[in-house]
Amino acid sequence: MTALDLSSPVAVVGTGTMGQGIAQVALVAGHPVRLYDAVPGRAREAAATIGARLDRLVEKERLTGADRDAARARLKPAETLADLADCALVVEAVLERLDVKRELFHALEDVVGDDCLLATNTSSLSVTAVGGALRVPGRFVGLHFFNPAPLLPLVEVVSGFATDVTSATRAYETARAWGKTPVACADTPGFIVNRIARPFYAEAFAVYEDQGADPATIDAVLRESGGFRMGAFELTDLIGQDVNESVTHSVWEAFFQDVRFTPSLAQRRLVESGRLGRKSGQGWYDYREGAVRPEPHTAEPADPPAYVVVEGDLGPAAELVALVREAGIEVREEAEDEGTRLVLPGGGQLVLADGQTSVEFRDVVYFDLALDYRTATRVALSHSQDTNRRTVAEATGLFQALGKKVSVIGDVPGMIVARTVARIIDLAVEAVAKGVATEEDVDTAMRLGVNYPLGPFEWCRRVGRDWAGSLLDDLHSIDQSGRYAPSLALYRYACATVKREDTP
């Protein structure tokens, strides 16, 4: 099954920001495009707005004047749904309400031919539920674009329970022909991106609610150590706290209030107070004129230790050994059957975040996971109130000697980056095991949809396939609510790998 022919008309119903963006994508790809909106005059206004955007593309030399003129000639506002009768594809981008969408598609079936592909751009509703009452449900599919649609490459092509394979394939190939990067996905709450991305926000908010660190520090650690483009607090301010919380709540409800997707009370209070982020002038941060952005906590300079003793394999942090040597600090290595740690001159231990807390041990400072310890500009440390001050100082001085800023946070099990990545990996492995998407499509979706530095399976290959399960096991032993219980899929994923490696 191939993409729609460029001569085939495409309709977009709903002319808000997303509808206009989808229409522009189809238009620039070469299709005749019809715009319809239930509010009189909106379609004509949207057509004018899209025309102005095409003018800007010409100014930026991304479109020729001739191509712009041809595109404008192909763009037609529709006065009624009946004007969409000859369309080969209709994409809906209306209000995120099930009743509204179902009523629209019921009306469309009375207008378009049975071979017309019908698609919803919903981000939070079930594709199966939206198309469930259709006379020809097999031609119904989800086409979830990301905002702004003309710029972001990812499109989740979602097959509902009744979607025909031929319809899903045609939608997939059409999205690819439009210059997008499609990923195939089963109809699951949140699809790929909004399902697997929940821990990125949830764990940051949980650390804040537990008074482990302030938003500016958590964001800085996620960016400068984890390699994420933005921290969770600044990203939700950009998205809109109401929008982000609504998606979280929708996924939580759709999974029958699974504790792993529980919304944040702190975010709920933010929404209730009207602090919705950039669009309202205040969110986690203050965006009003004259407001000063808070700085992340950064430790004062400390002297580096004269030497460190490396016991065991540092696993995902193994690169630190070379960095310590390059900094001129003596490294003494000792074989160790159990445990992976650095021992400091004062006798204290420096351990990669593993889901446990410093208060459980006599003298331990934890350090957080980094995407790349060589290029990371900040590293977080965690310790309890009983940790020896000398151990904290030596740990701080060690990372500062490696050229890193150091943020000391509270005694947070799993810290910030480590627990976030572990939970993302777990949800990704579970999604693949349940047939939601392939490993490759999951990685592609998370890189392109939310700009993660690595896809979950790429992270997994870097840290080890049993790393996430081990960390989550330790977290679950402390918090037995079920929030951190590793999935059966993750357990099987790690065990199956070990079995294959042990097989001659």
Side-chain angles (χ1 to χ4, degrees):
M1 182 62 68
T2 58
L4 293 176
D5 188 271
L6 289 182
S7 64
S8 302
V10 171
V12 177
V13 179
T15 58
T17 301
M18 183 59 79
Q20 291 178 25
I22 295 170
Q24 181 179 325
V25 170
L27 190 65
V28 171
H31 288 274
V33 173
R34 313 278 170 74
L35 281 174
Y36 174 78
D37 197 290
V39 178
R42 285 272 179 87
R44 292 191 178 278
E45 292 174 5
T49 300
I50 294 171
R53 289 178 181 169
L54 297 178
D55 288 339
R56 289 195 290 274
L57 290 178
V58 173
E59 292 170 4
K60 295 177 180 179
E61 299 183 346
R62 296 177 184 173
L63 193 68
T64 67
D67 286 342
R68 173 200 58 196
D69 295 342
R72 278 181 166 171
R74 293 193 302 271
L75 180 61
K76 304 292 184 185
E79 298 296 332
T80 68
L81 284 180
D83 295 333
L84 313 183
D86 64 338
C87 288
L89 167 64
V90 180
V91 184
E92 161 274 318
V94 301
L95 193 65
E96 280 288 276
R97 277 179 43 188
L98 181 60
D99 59 334
V100 172
K101 293 180 186 292
R102 294 186 76 165
E103 182 179 348
L104 168 63
F105 284 112
H106 179 73
L108 280 168
E109 273 205 311
D110 291 336
V111 171
V112 300
D114 286 354
D115 59 346
C116 175
L117 194 62
L118 298 179
T120 174
N121 183 58
T122 185
S123 61
S124 59
L125 299 175
S126 163
V127 169
T128 301
V130 174
L134 291 179
R135 177 171 49 81
V136 188
R139 44 90 170 266
F140 189 75
V141 67
L143 277 177
H144 181 215
F145 289 78
F146 288 74
N147 195 28
L151 297 180
L152 295 186
L154 184 69
V155 177
E156 292 177 318
V157 181
V158 186
S159 293
F161 188 78
T163 303
D164 290 337
V165 173
T166 53
S167 299
T169 303
R170 172 156 283 186
Y172 184 98
E173 294 301 333
T174 297
R176 185 158 63 177
W178 290 358
K180 296 301 180 182
T181 303
V183 292
C185 175
D187 186 18
T188 185
F191 309 142
I192 300 174
V193 173
N194 281 329
R195 172 180 179 154
I196 296 173
R198 293 347 297 160
F200 179 74
Y201 313 109
E203 294 312 307
F205 297 161
V207 172
Y208 167 74
E209 290 175 339
D210 290 341
Q211 299 189 2
D214 60 277
T217 299
I218 296 169
D219 278 354
V221 172
L222 286 168
R223 287 194 315 269
E224 300 175 41
S225 183
F228 293 95
R229 185 76 58 87
M230 300 179 74
F233 296 90
E234 56 192 345
L235 179 55
T236 53
D237 268 356
L238 178 64
I239 294 169
Q241 297 302 331
D242 53 340
V243 174
N244 181 260
E245 194 215 22
S246 176
V247 173
T248 298
H249 197 273
S250 175
V251 172
W252 176 61
E253 289 284 7
F255 276 113
F256 307 105
Q257 300 186 356
D258 185 330
V259 68
R260 295 177 300 166
F261 300 98
T262 301
S264 161
L265 180 59
Q267 188 179 39
R268 174 92 291 262
R269 293 292 179 259
L270 207 65
V271 173
E272 289 174 338
S273 69
R275 298 188 176 191
L276 306 181
R278 289 179 179 271
K279 62 186 178 184
S280 69
Q282 285 180 286
W284 295 110
Y285 299 107
D286 192 339
Y287 301 93
R288 294 171 298 182
E289 186 176 354
V292 178
R293 177 74 174 259
E295 293 292 326
H297 169 74
T298 302
E300 294 295 324
D303 293 331
Y307 66 90
V308 295
V309 179
V310 180
E311 293 187 350
D313 177 10
L314 295 182
E319 188 179 24
L320 283 176
V321 177
L323 297 180
V324 171
R325 285 197 174 100
E326 291 169 17
I329 298 172
E330 181 186 354
V331 174
R332 304 173 184 175
E333 297 191 61
E334 294 184 4
E336 189 74 23
D337 292 334
E338 295 184 3
T340 58
R341 55 186 169 264
L342 296 171
V343 180
L344 300 165
Q349 298 177 15
L350 189 55
V351 180
L352 176 63
D354 58 7
Q356 301 182 76
T357 63
S358 292
V359 76
E360 299 174 67
F361 305 99
R362 187 180 66 82
D363 195 12
V364 167
V365 170
Y366 281 105
F367 65 95
D368 208 350
L369 181 68
L371 173 67
D372 183 337
Y373 285 100
R374 183 171 293 278
T375 59
T377 58
R378 184 179 298 270
V379 172
L381 302 180
S382 173
H383 66 87
S384 75
Q385 60 183 6
D386 297 327
T387 304
N388 189 299
R389 297 299 101 182
R390 177 178 175 179
T391 300
V392 176
E394 288 178 340
T396 300
L398 174 64
F399 280 104
Q400 288 174 340
L402 305 186
K404 318 300 180 187
K405 295 177 182 177
V406 174
S407 290
V408 181
I409 67 173
D411 191 13
V412 177
M415 302 194 66
I416 298 171
V417 179
R419 68 198 274 181
T420 298
V421 170
R423 288 206 58 215
I424 288 171
I425 289 173
D426 185 34
L427 291 185
V429 170
E430 183 185 52
V432 170
K434 290 182 178 295
V436 172
T438 65
E439 291 186 13
E440 182 180 2
D441 276 356
V442 166
D443 278 352
T444 298
M446 301 314 291
R447 285 196 315 271
L448 299 183
V450 277
N451 286 315
Y452 282 6
L454 295 174
F457 292 93
E458 292 172 319
W459 265 111
C460 205
R461 288 190 287 273
R462 180 169 294 204
V463 299
R465 290 175 65 145
D466 60 349
W467 173 84
S470 177
L471 186 143
L472 291 173
D473 265 335
D474 284 339
L475 269 168
H476 180 57
S477 69
I478 297 171
D479 177 355
Q480 296 189 15
S481 65
R483 178 188 181 102
Y484 299 105
S487 66
L488 177 60
L490 186 62
Y491 175 78
R492 286 172 169 160
Y493 186 74
C495 288
T497 302
V498 171
K499 184 177 179 180
R500 285 196 298 269
E501 290 173 350
D502 290 345
T503 301

